[in-house]
Amino acid sequence: MKFGHFDDANREYVITNPRTPWPWINYLGCEEFFSLVSNTAGGYSFYKDAKFRRITRYRYNGVPMDAGGMYFYIKDGATVWNPGWKPCKTELDFYECRHGMGYTRITGAKDGVSASLLMFVPLKTHAEVLKLTLRNTTKKAKRVKLFSFVEWCLWNASTDMENFQRNFSTGEVEIDGSTIYHKTEYKERRNHYAFYGVNAKIDGFDTDRETFLGLYNGFDDPDAVRAGKCANSVAHGWSPIAAHQLDVSLRPGESKELVFTLGYVELPEAEKWQRKGVVNKKPAKAILKRFDTSAKVDRAFAQLKAYWDDLLSRYSVKSGNERLDRMVNVWNQYQCMVTFNMSRSASFFESGIGRGMGFRDSNQDLVGFVHQIPDRARERILDIAATQFPDGGCYHQYQPLTKRGNNDIGGGFNDDPMWLIFGTVAYLKETGDFSILEEKVPFDNKKGSEVTLFEHLKVSFDHVLNNLGPHKLPLIGRADWNDCLNLNCFSHDPNESFQTTENKTKGSKAESLMIAGLFCVCGRDYAELCARLGRKAESARAAKAVAAMEKAVEKHGWDGEWYLRAYDFFGRKVGSKENDEGKIFIESQGWCAMAEIGKAKGMPEMALDATKKHLECAHGIVLNQPAFTKYVVEYGEISTYPAGYKENAGIFCHNNPWIIIAEAIAGRGEDAFAHWAKIAPSYTEDRSELHKVEPYVYCQMVAGRDAAKPGEGKNSWLTGTAAWNWYAVSEYILGIKPDYDALVVDPCLPKSLGRYTVTRRFRGATYEITVVNKSGRGKLAKPVRLPLINGTRKFVVEI
Ligand code: BGC
Ligand code: NOJ
């Protein structure tokens, strides 16, 4: 069952039924001001950092689901309704939500009045603009009362939720004409306030939540709306909100447009005040003025569209397969930009409080957006590298506002350093900008510790070599990519976090085959890079270390039909036929097969066959089999999840592309494409009631075959799945790969893809590459290397 449809020409997903099986959201903003908005106008806004600069409040995991947002109430006689159906849930005569590139348009209609709400964050603006068009579709005059509503968050989203003995006394606002200013804590250490204004005269306002809603009402039944009148309340402590009241009369057929602006302002200490106790409103007024007419808003909206046209024109495909084309041309690239902006911080599954920017996550995300915004990728790489330690180890995350690393979600993940090589090489191949390697970057952000970025790559590489175990395989540390395979944790206390609790590393023999494969892939890249830089000795040293790792895997990492997953603390096999549960895991099959370890002995293909045989199901490839049915203290969190969920035999969509890429490297185009089509959102659209989450973006996890409801998706939007599927489809299936001095064409196709054209911008030129799978073999005997060119050129590659 579907709840809407794709509108490819407009690059929108159109939701036609508000009762989606889960809130289907979109992200507004692509620079510093962001909003999350659901298909029923739920959500919240923040500036840069969802934890420290939360502008509007949102309650997670609430009852009902998705309560709080950018609401408008329309009172027409005795009927009260919202354009987005919620929160009143009054049955609408028409409902539609269009999620587009950086904007959402929600339209509702009831009893001859239609309300269409366009929401977006204009470029280079610290504000969200909400243009509301009210139209009388009847032949009679209409008078309605319109109420806006947002609830202010007291900036720090964590303390906002817990420190009520203070919070209930701190709230402060100012009202100035049609604008409500939120200035809690402004008179002390904060240099920022927020505002919500409208470009029309208002007939009332409220800023105190209890007055507007009533203490015992929900958002669905505010006292003020029921009474048809705001009380002009001024919040002192308690919970500040912003609500405008506008009495609107509409002649037959008439439309009226109103522009609401929700903005954020920061001021230097000396300019904070207009006069004692009155905030300096100049910057806010300047923002309000930029959007005080519909024409101005429309211009800003056109600029946003042009911005996305440009970003999405850098890689596009015409293949005749609409599900493939819409993922490649629109939604996968869009999701990659969102993961660039958010990392894993704020979604409807991530609270925005728990996680900042991940070291591993953000490096992986790079392959998803480096072709679109290389300059920002450059900055991101330098920010990430600056959180590394001198020994190559890393903080697992940093906070975007401060750019300082922290251990809030644990540290000592021994795969982390490798991802810096992965991300940097992707940047170099895309841009050819070797100057980045000369940039001086500190360790742990400490002044005076700066070395070149190249040195950071070197210590990353060495971190693995300096942490080898008894089989000369990489020690796993706290965990590798699989955060839940906690081989050194041994936790018996339910109050401990698997991620942060102290590890028993002394004497540990826990080694990871996933890191071994990752090391071979990234280590070869590092060796090649060194050779290109003329660092011959370093290149040879790296190549030797990689060769030794391959040997170690062949000798100690092969279980007969597939690669082992790990050795545990005591040096016992993990992911082996010898185990009762967890006999085979996906990660090591993906990475060791991508690295083609043991190719001469046919290991990669055997591993891929075993993956198909043991791990594949109707909805994708599960992480491990058999699923764990009991808690294994020496494995940690992985064995805590019920069978079929998350890291315990869920379909972790993030690692499916590792298999897809490995299949493509092995030349098995049917398998590569079949694996992809199982998890691609555009293919899940028809079973949305089961899949639950948005059919236009990847989700992190789909319930595996052992679960109660196989096929049910969770954790949409913020996941490495976006970048990895982009990488798999764009570079390995369609096969257009940037390289240091060429654009390489190396597809791996199923029979169903007979011909397609990719338009790819690369190093300032435009390549129009038509691939014809004439022989049906789907793979070239040798990749074609297209030279660097100027202007636009067409190429035809026949297989
Ligand atoms: C989840 C992982 C996640 C980790 C760190 C675990 O509970 O299953 O997917 O990466 O927590 O937040
Ligand atoms: C989610 C994390 O963001 C990612 O880094 C990790 O690898 C997966 N969970 C698997 O545990």
Side-chain angles (χ1 to χ4, degrees), residues 355 360 409 483-484 499 637 641 646-647 652 700:
R355 297 214 241 170
R360 169 206 296 149
I409 53 165
D483 295 332
C484 300
Q499 263 74 44
E637 185 172 356
Y641 283 112
K646 292 282 281 177
E647 282 85 346
F652 229 87
Q700 180 209 48

Side-chain angles (χ1 to χ4, degrees), residues 607-712:
L608 292 171
D609 288 340
T611 302
K612 231 177 8 174
K613 183 166 162 205
H614 300 289
L615 300 179
E616 196 184 26
C617 74
H619 304 283
I621 308 167
V622 302
L623 194 143
N624 58 292
Q625 277 296 300
F628 295 101
T629 55
K630 47 186 188 290
Y631 178 50
V632 187
V633 70
E634 61 265 42
Y635 289 2
E637 185 172 356
I638 189 167
S639 58
T640 65
Y641 283 112
Y645 294 106
K646 292 282 281 177
E647 282 85 346
N648 185 14
I651 298 156
F652 229 87
C653 300
H654 184 148
N655 53 38
N656 277 225
W658 299 345
I659 299 297
I660 297 170
I661 293 171
E663 291 283 10
I665 292 173
R668 308 186 337 170
E670 295 301 333
D671 291 317
F673 197 85
H675 287 317
W676 175 73
K678 281 193 173 168
I679 56 166
S682 54
Y683 280 81
T684 67
E685 192 196 11
D686 296 334
R687 44 190 153 92
S688 285
E689 77 287 5
L690 168 66
H691 188 67
K692 259 188 132 148
V693 288
E694 297 90 338
Y696 40 92
V697 291
Y698 290 94
C699 60
Q700 180 209 48
M701 199 273 303
V702 173
R705 64 184 189 220
D706 305 284
K709 257 199 201 172
E712 188 178 63

Side-chain angles (χ1 to χ4, degrees), residues 531-547:
R532 282 189 179 262
L533 295 172
R535 296 172 184 260
K536 280 202 187 122
E538 179 65 356
S539 174
R541 179 182 81 97
K544 211 170 137 201
V546 170

